[in-house]
Amino acid sequence: MSKTRRTYLIAWIAILAVLLAGSILAPDGTGGESVQETMRDAVLHESNQINLLGLRAVNPGLVSGMVVTAFLLAVAAGIRIFVIPRFRYVPGRFQLILEQIVGLFDGMAQSNSPWRNSFLGAYIFAAGTYIFTGTLFELFGFQAVSTAGRSIALPAPLSDINAAIMLGVLSYLVILSGAIAGNGLRGVRSALTEISLLISMSFRLFGALLSGLLVTELVYYYITLSFVLPVIVAVLFTLLHALIQSYVLTMLTALFYGEMSEPKEPRLKPPAHGRGKLVHDPTT
Amino acid sequence: MNIPLNIDWQQILLHLFNFAILAGGLYLLLYRPVKDFMKKREEHYQSMDEAAERARADAAQLQEQYASRLSQADAEIAQKRVEAQRELDQYRAQQMGAARQEAQSILDRAKENAEREHEEMLARAQKELADLAVTATEKLVLKAQGDPYEQFLDLAERGGAHEQPERE
């Protein structure tokens, strides 16, 4: 091992030791909050709320959602101004990634709903991007000050039940709109038979992301668990959730949208007397 | 009404408002431009493909035309060959006829010439024979008349007598 490399290694170990000592010796910033209170607050957000521009106290998830939205819109604007005008027919790496992302959601919409998919593609693109980026946002641990004066890490937007309900309900409404556009009032009837989607989609999203949040909270609550383990936890509960939940919600929405918006054939019934041709049933 | 799990309608609407802005912004800034570009590129390659397909179809049609023209040309060539052969045969027959005629005329002329020469030769021979006969007769006559030297002199005198009046 060369002398320079050895010096770097010793410096790195020293920095780690200082950080570890600092972490252990630094005063507890939670203000004596028990693990039960921390977990309960992660679910219900009863005490650790954030003041939204002096208007009212909101859950941290809403602030996270706004930050994610601002970030995504800034990135999109940058791409629109600086990258898209330089697109070429033979794409470079970044162009290829963008086309793959757009093509993924567009293809999903087209394959699941071949008859009506332009709006669906745009919706699942936005929803998928929001879920993915919002879930990854949790990894960065951006700090905010709660109304109680505590410093809290901003969670994933969809770990807030209000955000999960919003996205679940909105996805259901999108499906319902597809059903109406495809089949009129008959579509409404078929969409209402799938009303359980409202709850299943909302709470699936909420439960999945909340579980990640809770495990992370649990891990970070104890200082002894705060080394090495977060790497695995972050990968399992954040990166995988980001991918899986984006895929699940967008796939379910596209699937049900396609099923509901598919133009139904008029129901045929056999004639009342004897054998003969099938006739159109005017009541259907 | 106290909704369990701290569900707050106002926050749900705020989340919805936030997501609506995001969805609209992403659609306008990213989704539509990228999709438009992909569509444009697809159309570009599709038009290229169609142009290539058209060119291929044109080439195939052209090839077919050329093949049919070639077969037509072959037929025409065969027909022309037959016609040429026929013309050649006619020409040859004509030439042969003319040659025969010419040969006949040459033959006729040769025959005529030969006959004429024969007659001339006969005439000459007859004349020579007559001359010989005359000469022989003269010789015989002279021999009967005496010494040839004297006869010669007589003849010479006679000849001189004959020539003088002519000179006068």
Side-chain angles (χ1 to χ4, degrees), chain A residues 44-45 56 59 62 65 69 79-80 87-89 95 99 106 121-122 130 160-163 165-166 170, chain B residues 5-8 10-11 14-16 18-19 22-23 25 27 29-31 33 35 37 40-41 44-45:
Chain A
L44 301 176
H45 303 290
R56 59 160 293 180
N59 294 348
L62 181 60
T69 298
I79 290 171
R80 180 71 187 87
F87 269 13
R88 285 174 299 176
Y89 283 152
Q95 183 185 342
E99 286 183 9
D106 189 44
Y130 185 57
D160 180 0
I161 191 164
N162 297 317
I165 288 174
M166 179 278 295
L170 190 62
Chain B
L5 287 172
N6 199 16
I7 295 170
D8 184 339
Q10 202 175 9
Q11 287 195 52
L14 280 171
H15 272 292
L16 185 61
N18 179 49
F19 183 74
L22 177 69
Y27 175 72
L29 294 170
L30 210 57
Y31 185 76
K35 214 180 143 186
F37 177 81
K40 195 174 117 189
R41 183 176 54 198
H44 171 73
Y45 283 118

Side-chain angles (χ1 to χ4, degrees), chain A residues 137-162:
Chain A
F137 176 78
E138 185 184 53
L139 275 180
F140 295 96
F142 289 115
Q143 298 292 303
V145 180
S146 71
T147 47
R150 291 195 190 99
S151 171
I152 53 168
L154 288 176
L158 292 162
S159 64
D160 180 0
I161 191 164
N162 297 317

Side-chain angles (χ1 to χ4, degrees), chain A residues 19 28 32 41 75 117 126 130 152 163 174 186 209 223 236 247 254 277:
Chain A
L19 287 175
D28 190 357
D41 195 61
V75 170
N117 52 48
Y130 185 57
I152 53 168
V174 168
R186 220 146 40 100
L209 293 176
I223 189 75
L236 278 180
Y247 180 74
K277 284 191 296 184

Side-chain angles (χ1 to χ4, degrees), chain B residues 37-139:
Chain B
F37 177 81
M38 286 163 74
K39 194 179 170 189
K40 195 174 117 189
R41 183 176 54 198
E42 194 182 332
E43 282 170 358
H44 171 73
Y45 283 118
Q46 206 166 5
S47 68
M48 272 176 72
D49 188 44
E50 281 170 6
E53 191 61 35
R54 263 200 309 276
R56 206 164 65 89
D58 287 350
Q61 199 180 355
L62 215 59
Q63 192 187 10
E64 206 174 313
Q65 279 178 3
Y66 282 142
S68 73
R69 275 190 199 173
L70 211 60
S71 64
Q72 274 179 2
D74 282 346
E76 276 178 20
I77 287 169
Q79 196 181 349
K80 294 255 183 195
R81 195 177 290 162
V82 169
E83 281 175 10
Q85 189 65 41
R86 197 185 303 138
E87 279 177 13
L88 196 66
D89 288 347
Q90 280 177 359
Y91 181 71
R92 195 190 306 159
Q94 230 172 14
Q95 290 295 315
M96 287 289 281
R100 272 196 204 100
Q101 271 185 345
E102 200 177 334
Q104 192 62 43
S105 68
I106 288 168
L107 206 59
D108 290 347
R109 276 202 305 275
K111 272 181 186 173
E112 280 174 15
N113 287 342
E115 278 175 10
R116 196 170 54 243
E117 279 177 11
H118 182 249
E119 283 169 6
E120 281 173 3
M121 277 174 70
L122 275 176
R124 266 202 308 274
Q126 281 173 355
K127 191 184 171 190
E128 278 176 8
L129 281 172
D131 288 345
L132 277 174
V134 169
T135 310
T137 309
E138 279 177 353
K139 277 181 183 175

Side-chain angles (χ1 to χ4, degrees), chain A residues 110-124:
Chain A
Q110 281 182 12
S111 62
N112 285 296
S113 178
W115 30 83
R116 193 180 294 276
N117 52 48
S118 56
F119 173 70
L120 175 68
Y123 174 73
I124 60 173

Side-chain angles (χ1 to χ4, degrees), chain A residues 59-127:
Chain A
N59 294 348
L62 181 60
V63 177
S64 300
M66 288 175 171
V67 173
V68 168
T69 298
F71 169 74
L72 282 176
L73 288 180
V75 170
I79 290 171
R80 180 71 187 87
I81 294 167
F82 298 112
V83 180
I84 290 176
R86 293 181 191 159
F87 269 13
R88 285 174 299 176
Y89 283 152
V90 180
R93 281 183 197 167
F94 189 61
Q95 183 185 342
L96 197 65
I97 292 169
L98 283 177
E99 286 183 9
Q100 284 291 320
I101 295 169
V102 171
L104 173 76
F105 291 108
D106 189 44
M108 193 186 281
Q110 281 182 12
S111 62
N112 285 296
S113 178
W115 30 83
R116 193 180 294 276
N117 52 48
S118 56
F119 173 70
L120 175 68
Y123 174 73
I124 60 173
F125 173 73

Side-chain angles (χ1 to χ4, degrees), chain A:
Chain A
M1 190 183 285
S2 70
K3 193 179 173 185
T4 321
R5 194 174 288 179
R6 196 179 300 152
T7 312
Y8 278 129
L9 188 67
I10 291 168
W12 181 58
I13 291 170
I15 289 167
L16 285 182
V18 170
L19 287 175
L20 179 62
S23 306
I24 294 168
L25 297 175
D28 190 357
T30 57
E33 202 176 33
S34 69
V35 68
Q36 287 85 358
E37 284 171 352
T38 306
M39 305 277 271
R40 181 184 165 86
D41 195 61
V43 180
L44 301 176
H45 303 290
E46 285 167 336
S47 56
N48 284 329
Q49 290 201 326
I50 296 175
N51 200 338
L52 181 70
L53 306 171
L55 297 173
R56 59 160 293 180
V58 293
N59 294 348
L62 181 60
V63 177
S64 300
M66 288 175 171
V67 173
V68 168
T69 298
F71 169 74
L72 282 176
L73 288 180
V75 170
I79 290 171
R80 180 71 187 87
I81 294 167
F82 298 112
V83 180
I84 290 176
R86 293 181 191 159
F87 269 13
R88 285 174 299 176
Y89 283 152
V90 180
R93 281 183 197 167
F94 189 61
Q95 183 185 342
L96 197 65
I97 292 169
L98 283 177
E99 286 183 9
Q100 284 291 320
I101 295 169
V102 171
L104 173 76
F105 291 108
D106 189 44
M108 193 186 281
Q110 281 182 12
S111 62
N112 285 296
S113 178
W115 30 83
R116 193 180 294 276
N117 52 48
S118 56
F119 173 70
L120 175 68
Y123 174 73
I124 60 173
F125 173 73
T129 311
Y130 185 57
I131 297 169
F132 185 79
T133 319
T135 310
L136 288 187
F137 176 78
E138 185 184 53
L139 275 180
F140 295 96
F142 289 115
Q143 298 292 303
V145 180
S146 71
T147 47
R150 291 195 190 99
S151 171
I152 53 168
L154 288 176
L158 292 162
S159 64
D160 180 0
I161 191 164
N162 297 317
I165 288 174
M166 179 278 295
L167 206 55
V169 171
L170 190 62
S171 296
Y172 181 77
L173 290 177
V174 168
I175 293 168
L176 186 67
S177 72
I180 293 170
N183 293 299
L185 286 177
R186 220 146 40 100
V188 176
R189 196 172 65 185
S190 61
L192 285 176
T193 57
E194 300 289 350
I195 192 83
S196 60
L197 276 174
L198 264 177
I199 297 164
S200 70
M201 281 173 120
S202 305
F203 283 84
R204 180 186 294 113
L205 204 57
F206 176 61
L209 293 176
L210 185 72
S211 65
L213 178 76
L214 290 181
V215 173
T216 312
E217 286 279 352
L218 191 63
V219 165
Y220 281 114
Y221 187 83
Y222 300 103
I223 189 75
T224 46
L225 295 176
S226 299
F227 305 99
V228 182
L229 194 59
V231 177
I232 302 162
V233 170
V235 170
L236 278 180
F237 291 95
T238 309
L239 287 177
L240 285 180
H241 269 159
L243 281 173
I244 294 168
Q245 292 311 315
S246 305
Y247 180 74
V248 167
L249 187 117
T250 52
M251 174 54 86
L252 280 177
T253 308
L255 202 69
F256 279 102
Y257 185 95
E259 192 184 319
M260 298 291 171
S261 65
E262 182 182 3
K264 303 278 188 302
E265 290 293 320
R267 200 182 297 167
L268 301 174
K269 69 174 187 181
H273 303 293
R275 289 178 299 175
K277 284 191 296 184
L278 294 176
V279 293
H280 180 250
D281 182 7
T283 58
T284 56

